Amino acid sequence: MFTPRQRDISLRGKIIYSVYLRNHTPEGTFAALEGDLDRIKALGTDIIWLLPIHPIGQLNKKGGLGCPYSISDYRGINPAYGTEDDLKHLVGEIHARGMLCIIDVVYNHTSHDSVLFREHPEYFYRKEDGSFGNRYGDWTDVLDLDYSNRDLWDYQIETLVKWAHIVDGFRCDVASCVPVEFWEQAVEAVAKVNPGAVWLAESVYIGHVQFAREFGYPVATDTDLYRAFDMEYPYDIQDYFNRYTEGKGRLSDYVNMLNFQEHVLPSDYIKVRFIENHDTPRASRLFPDTDQMLNWLAFAYFQKGTAMLYGGQEWQNKESCTLFDKAVFSRDPEKDISPMITRLGEIKKSLLPVDADFSAAADDASGIVTAFLTNKSARVAGVFSLEKKSGEVCLDVPDGEYTDEIAGGTVTVSGRKLTTAGKPMIFKVR
């Protein structure tokens, strides 16, 4: 019988850097990425996540080059990136720098011209009229798989075991749409060849869960997925963040949902924390003012969970890298915030306890959030001016002077209040 996942909460102190190979360098290859590894490591990165590395389907593809999430061969390598030997060499270089490498697993669907569809059409979902297709949205470049066929499970798990001999784990695309029982078996099989493999689930928005259930489609909740996975996306509360950034919701609604996660998820839950990824608007588009964006970045690092960066974020790129064509992100040295990212990484690793309780409160009038991480031996406070406003903040800490770990200055608390000049602050209380 499968043993429930035992999570290593030290992952809460780690940093993931997401790489879309096609658009990360002009060459867009495994070999070209090797030349950027020292810089990525210097940001505080512990885990490099490669977006899908497999061949892309050509039938019904979107854009000029097609989407990497429309995979034609789970067991092959996109020739534009290099060879399997090139991948092995890259992973060796990543390991040499003390980092791990995880790859994308896209197991809900394949391209229309995939090896799997050609050889095993019985593994695929059929609509009521008997035709092949997909259950959700406008994913016209893919066909959904049907996990009621247990032979599919064997094929997919064999594939994961193949890659587990090379890489250190998997980020699983729309993991909620694949049976949790499958993931449990996959984790167990992979553990036999790579016991330390890291498993990250892209769980889905609440609206996705509701839609799927209304139409009778199987879909897992975050709680379900924790039976198999180490880490999950924060999409269970992402709607609250989106409504705030769109001017349709209150900051306090989002912050209250962060507190809600603390009380409803398993005690050893691990969420990835980010302000942008390849599926969302760039943070610098959401928050054009650099100081405001840096407040949000600092708040994300402070939250309980694994921090995640998306390639190009460190240069405040505003344009999202298209999934369908070639568009290398810019590296404008005048917009480089790498020193801030590096410092936040140092703070996360050295000051923020991974076994702490998290709590936060937001003032909607000022846009200022106060937050705490607390365990038996430490209490760390954070003050984040998420609308870049200055002001006086009430804070439940003893009066005195503290060291601001971000800027290096002094934080003075008097009468249980402090004054913020619109910059993020993190300091140790005890």
Side-chain angles (χ1 to χ4, degrees):
M1 185 174 180
F2 183 82
T3 303
R5 188 73 167 154
Q6 299 297 306
R7 275 171 289 282
D8 177 5
I9 63 170
S10 70
L11 288 169
R12 292 175 181 159
K14 306 299 184 183
I15 297 163
I16 298 172
Y17 186 95
S18 173
V19 172
Y20 181 19
L21 274 166
R22 177 193 290 169
N23 291 332
H24 192 84
T25 63
E27 300 85 354
T29 62
F30 296 128
L33 177 59
E34 289 186 15
D36 204 24
L37 292 180
D38 289 335
R39 184 194 64 81
I40 293 173
K41 172 65 176 178
L43 295 173
T45 302
D46 301 286
I47 302 171
I48 290 180
W49 155 34
L50 303 178
L51 271 67
I53 60 172
H54 309 297
I56 295 171
Q58 298 302 298
L59 181 60
N60 298 328
K61 72 178 180 182
K62 293 183 177 181
L65 296 176
C67 178
Y69 289 89
S70 179
I71 292 171
S72 65
D73 184 1
Y74 288 128
R75 298 182 177 182
I77 294 288
N78 185 339
Y81 295 163
T83 65
E84 188 171 313
D85 284 340
D86 292 331
L87 172 65
K88 291 176 180 177
H89 193 273
L90 169 64
V91 174
E93 291 299 308
I94 290 172
H95 289 169
R97 290 160 175 80
M99 297 182 287
L100 303 179
C101 178
I102 66 175
I103 60 172
D104 232 312
V105 170
V106 187
Y107 268 12
N108 180 65
H109 49 260
T110 76
S111 69
H112 288 253
D113 53 357
S114 68
V115 171
L116 206 55
F117 183 64
R118 183 174 67 249
E119 297 180 353
H120 293 285
E122 71 275 16
Y123 291 173
F124 285 78
Y125 162 77
R126 289 180 183 266
K127 295 185 282 189
E128 289 185 0
D129 64 4
S131 64
F132 298 102
N134 57 76
R135 300 174 179 88
Y136 308 107
D138 66 345
W139 298 349
T140 56
D141 58 341
V142 298
L143 300 175
D144 281 6
L145 290 159
D146 180 4
Y147 280 84
S148 67
N149 189 321
R150 288 300 180 111
D151 291 337
L152 171 62
W153 292 36
D154 294 338
Y155 182 93
Q156 300 289 62
I157 289 173
E158 287 172 7
T159 304
L160 287 168
V161 169
K162 163 188 164 64
W163 294 116
H165 284 285
I166 302 172
V167 300
D168 305 296
F170 306 98
R171 178 268 187 190
C172 301
D173 188 64
V174 287
S176 307
C177 298
V178 175
V180 176
E181 294 78 12
F182 166 81
W183 292 124
E184 289 176 323
Q185 288 193 23
V187 168
E188 189 171 37
V190 165
K192 293 176 182 178
V193 300
N194 190 342
V198 176
W199 292 84
L200 166 59
E202 185 200 23
S203 48
V204 298
Y205 284 75
I206 292 173
H208 192 147
V209 175
Q210 182 179 358
F211 171 86
R213 289 181 172 179
E214 286 177 356
F215 285 87
Y217 300 145
V219 66
T221 65
D222 283 42
T223 302
D224 295 330
L225 287 173
Y226 273 124
R227 286 161 42 194
F229 284 89
D230 297 303
M231 301 179 284
E232 296 181 7
Y233 271 45
Y235 280 171
D236 52 329
I237 65 169
Q238 192 73 9
D239 284 331
Y240 294 88
F241 174 82
N242 292 343
R243 282 198 286 269
Y244 169 73
T245 59
E246 293 166 1
K248 300 175 182 177
R250 299 180 301 176
L251 177 61
S252 59
D253 293 335
Y254 169 64
V255 171
N256 287 339
M257 291 307 296
L258 288 170
N259 292 327
F260 184 68
Q261 282 181 329
E262 186 77 353
H263 300 293
V264 299
L265 296 176
S267 59
D268 62 349
Y269 79 93
I270 306 170
K271 286 285 187 179
V272 289
R273 305 297 186 180
F274 51 77
I275 55 175
E276 67 173 65
N277 65 49
H278 71 273
D279 282 325
T280 70
R282 287 285 195 178
S284 291
R285 182 167 292 279
L286 293 175
F287 313 113
D289 183 275
T290 298
D291 284 341
Q292 183 187 16
M293 186 271 294
L294 291 178
N295 270 279
W296 273 101
L297 183 62
F299 184 39
Y301 268 66
F302 188 89
Q303 290 169 31
K304 189 171 180 175
T306 308
M308 189 164 79
L309 298 165
Y310 178 41
Q313 185 173 349
E314 60 269 50
W315 286 284
Q316 301 184 66
N317 275 237
K318 284 186 167 59
E319 298 301 323
S320 297
C321 288
T322 173
L323 287 176
F324 311 118
D325 293 289
K326 180 80 173 177
V328 181
F329 61 73
S330 66
R331 303 187 182 214
D332 184 346
E334 294 186 0
K335 296 182 179 179
D336 188 3
I337 57 168
S338 296
M340 177 65 159
I341 291 174
T342 299
R343 182 57 191 146
L344 289 174
E346 292 168 349
I347 292 169
K348 189 164 188 70
K349 296 173 191 294
S350 66
L351 188 70
L352 306 186
V354 297
D355 62 344
D357 295 324
F358 172 87
S359 62
D363 184 318
D364 287 318
S366 66
I368 296 173
V369 168
T370 55
F372 292 94
L373 288 167
T374 308
N375 64 12
K376 291 181 180 180
S377 59
R379 191 173 190 225
V380 184
V383 179
F384 309 99
S385 299
L386 299 181
E387 295 178 6
K388 211 195 75 169
K389 294 179 181 177
S390 303
E392 195 172 60
V393 181
C394 293
L395 203 63
D396 184 22
V397 302
D399 288 358
E401 293 190 343
Y402 303 91
T403 300
D404 176 10
E405 298 292 339
I406 298 178
T410 298
V411 176
T412 301
V413 178
S414 178
R416 300 280 172 140
K417 295 180 180 180
L418 64 78
T419 300
T420 172
K423 303 283 188 180
M425 295 183 288
I426 294 175
F427 56 95
K428 187 172 183 179
V429 178
R430 70 166 189 263

